[in-house]
Amino acid sequence: IKILLKGLRSPQESVNDLSPIESFRIPTKEELRELHEEPTDPQAQQEIINSIEEVYFSNDSFDIVKYELERLPPVLSLQELEEYRDKLKQQQAAVSKKVADLILEKQPAYVEELERVTSLQTGLQLAAVICTDGRRHLNIAKEGFTQTSLGLLANQRKRQLLIGLLKSLRTIKTLQRTDVRLSEMLEEEDYPGAIQLCLECQKAASTFKHYSCISELNSKLQDTLEQIEEQLDVALSKICKNFDINHYTKVQQAYRLLGKTQTAMDQLHMHFTQAIHNTVFQVVLGYVELCAGNTDTKFQKLQYKDLCTHITSDSYIPCLADLCKALWEVMLSYYRTMQWHENHDQDETAVVSSVSDGNNVIGTEENSFDRNYVKKKLEHGLSRIWQDVQLKVKTYLLGTDLSNFKYDDFIFVLDVISRLMQVGEEFCGSKSEVLQESIRKQSVNYFKTYHRTRLEELRMFLENETWELCPVKSSFSILQLHEFKFLEQSRSPSVSPSKQPASAISSTVTLFEQYCNGGNPFEIQADSKDDETEDVLASNGYESDEQEKSAYQEYDSDSDVPEELKRDYVDEQTGDAPIKSVSRETLRSRKRSDYNLNKVNAPILTNTTLNVIRLVGKYMQMMNILKPIAFDVIHFMSQLFDYYLYAVYTFFGRNDTFESAGLGLSSSRLRTTLNRIQESLIDLEVSADPSGTLTGAEERKEKVPSPHLSHLVVLTSGNSLYGLAERVVATESLVFLAEQFEFLQPHLDAVMPAAKKPFLQQFYSQTVSTASELRKPVYWIVAAKAIDYEQMLLLMANVKWDVKEIMSQHNVYVDALLKEFEEFNRRLNDVSKRVRIPLPVSNILWEHCIRLANRTLVEGYANVKKCSNEGRALMQLDFQQFLMKLEKLTDIRPIPDKEFVETYIKAYYLTENDMECWIKEHREYSTKQLTNLVNICLGTYINKKARQKLLATIDDIDRPKR
């Protein structure tokens, strides 16, 4: 059957799909063979087919195997199974035979019908080709003629309608999406663009108001415009703390579009005022809360004035610095705002002048009016803003008591306030009266307390001072001390006021120009003390080993002195002048009497002197910062010098015995100065006085007890020339201190108020200039004790002066006196090995000793009872011998009081009339000396009557002295 079916298939394979027999199973060869072998009884086969169950004829597909297995009995029997299997095989065979018979029966009809189908298929394919070609030709004709012409016209009309509609739709879409775009532009801070867009949208909305979808858009856009103005105001307020050119330009352009330029300027000033208040409050609040810790006090509810009282001493300075930094940022923003308007006005003026059009006259006038309004408003706002700043800082300053602050801390506060006042002067030309007054009172009170403490410290230093030499370098200058660094530094905005010289010329660069692009003038900077060290001390008092060796060499001649040590410099009028040039006259006048040649010419000063100089530097720093209290500071500074002068005089120069000798050791100016110091500064009463009045207590509070010399200082030893080394250090350190005050006079004069300058002039003329005059009384005491003048009087008393012949040999007392001077010279050399003895000091010592010796000679000659002409010649011989030997010991010329002795000796030869005139002219001699002279001359040139007359004359001269 399968072979037969294959032979009947059409060449067109697709036709097979229509064959129904494909659903049947075609019997195999074996099955067909079996079919042939089996009986072909039709009836029997029909019965077998009829015996097949109905389920096998149903259209529903089912699992035949499962079905047959489920039908098996519970108990299986091989025989029954085989029988049932054979039955199924018979049924299958019958069916297969039936199918094969049906196929063979219908075979001719099938072949015929298949040929018809093939023929029909070929015809249909040909028809399809014909139809396709026809439709293609029809389409060509349609497109080429009818549709093209009419379609063009229709599409053109439709296009015009759609373009108009599209424009409207796009506009409506843009209007509907305005909120989104406006939000984006505001986030980008494009305020001019946002306002421009909003105004354009309002105009467009009025054009398309006939559309119902945008009927409410007008009111919505108006609300949006108001919202933009609010955000614009917020943006304007940001300018106050951090000015940005691009940001401010956008804001101004936006206000100009709104036509509210003047309103913007009014709002800007309100924001600046608010920014100052908010800034200072937040800064102070931050420090108060930080210091308060976790307390429950609600500081935010306090007023700014009350809040300032809660600042602690530790946080006061950093808070002040941050406060000024924040206020500086606000003022800098205002300054840059003014700069922007100036530049913008110049640019606009240039543009207007280059494009002059009659149609723009009205707009130009309006812009000019706005510019003038803005300019005046900004200029007026300068003083208002600075006044607000002053008041805020004043409130902060007065909120804390500064009296217990350390000096450096208080100086820093003054530095900051002075810098702030400098800012104010550059900002609006203000003199900052509010700030000056607020800090002046605190400064005066602070400085009184500080000065009182420093005076007590000075007294303690002086009472513990052993008057040893402080070893400083020969190049030492007070400008090398940290306290005086501000005198060397040029005045520039980057230097704090306490570091600036009072007389420096202000730099042309302002603080605003310097810090315009960054930085802050109130940044806390480490003091230069941390980075620099003072190089003023010499090692062991000498600056090299060679100089140290030369310090102990005997001074025999100039040839033994190294050249560098010969280059000594000493001002003969004021002593050493380490910071001044050396005159040739001084070099020529330097001879062997100058005992400072065996040491380097370093300034002579003590630790106490150095401390006083440092104090002066600190006082000047404060005075330089706060010029309104300059007089108080200079007055206190003068007290430091007064007290040092009084202490040196009290320790080394006061001696009532020698003062009463009437030798003019202390000038009237020096005595007046000492009396003034004692009355105004020295507390001579006991410290506790219960009977004293309140006024007296207040007056004594301004005074200091008189200092007492340290018990370590010995002034009674002859070997040390009665403390000559200590006296030299003390006196010459005072002279050095006076020189430094002289050096500082121009700086003090520059800051002293004009009305108070007479005080400064009087201080220098009456006090500072008397420092060198203190040498005479101080060194007189040494000279009076260094040589035994009493022994010389005893030796002179043993000499016989009524000799009858002229003697060629001088008396022994001359050699004894010269030996005393040689010993004095030796001890002076010994002292000079410890302390450099300047030329003026050695000159004064020698002058005092020689003067005392000469006066002792006159006193010895006045004690003579009998004297002949030969005796007078012997006196002259002795004196000439003394002068000759003395001139080899000292270089002082002329010899002091030489004429005093010679004149007295020569007076022996005067006649009566000449004697009377001589007595009236020479009142420097004592009554005893004049009387003795008259008595000795009796019988030689004067008779008794003349003697009485001369004695009466002497008595008349002496009477006013009593």
Side-chain angles (χ1 to χ4, degrees), residues 779-790:
Y779 298 133
W780 177 270
I781 297 173
V782 176
K785 296 181 178 180
I787 293 175
D788 192 353
Y789 303 103
E790 293 295 330

Side-chain angles (χ1 to χ4, degrees), residues 4 274 301 664 667 710 920 938:
L4 182 61
Q274 190 66 28
K301 297 180 181 179
S667 65
S710 171
K920 291 180 180 179
L938 179 64

Side-chain angles (χ1 to χ4, degrees), residues 799 801 807-818 873-882 884-885:
V799 176
W801 299 103
M807 307 294 292
S808 60
Q809 180 66 32
H810 61 272
N811 285 302
V812 179
Y813 74 90
V814 176
D815 295 329
L817 181 58
L818 289 170
L874 182 59
M875 289 182 185
Q876 288 185 335
L877 175 65
D878 290 344
F879 187 60
Q880 292 303 320
Q881 178 69 18
F882 171 68
M884 183 180 67
K885 296 289 185 181

Side-chain angles (χ1 to χ4, degrees), residues 774-834:
L774 202 61
R775 287 169 170 163
K776 283 190 175 182
V778 170
Y779 298 133
W780 177 270
I781 297 173
V782 176
K785 296 181 178 180
I787 293 175
D788 192 353
Y789 303 103
E790 293 295 330
Q791 178 66 23
M792 188 173 67
L793 286 175
L794 293 175
L795 291 175
M796 291 179 71
N798 295 328
V799 176
K800 187 177 180 181
W801 299 103
D802 55 348
V803 292
K804 300 300 181 180
E805 58 183 24
I806 298 177
M807 307 294 292
S808 60
Q809 180 66 32
H810 61 272
N811 285 302
V812 179
Y813 74 90
V814 176
D815 295 329
L817 181 58
L818 289 170
K819 188 175 290 185
E820 288 280 338
F821 273 100
E822 289 174 356
E823 179 63 19
F824 170 73
N825 190 30
R826 185 190 63 78
R827 286 188 285 176
L828 205 55
N829 272 302
D830 292 339
V831 173
S832 70
K833 293 176 183 179
R834 287 181 53 201

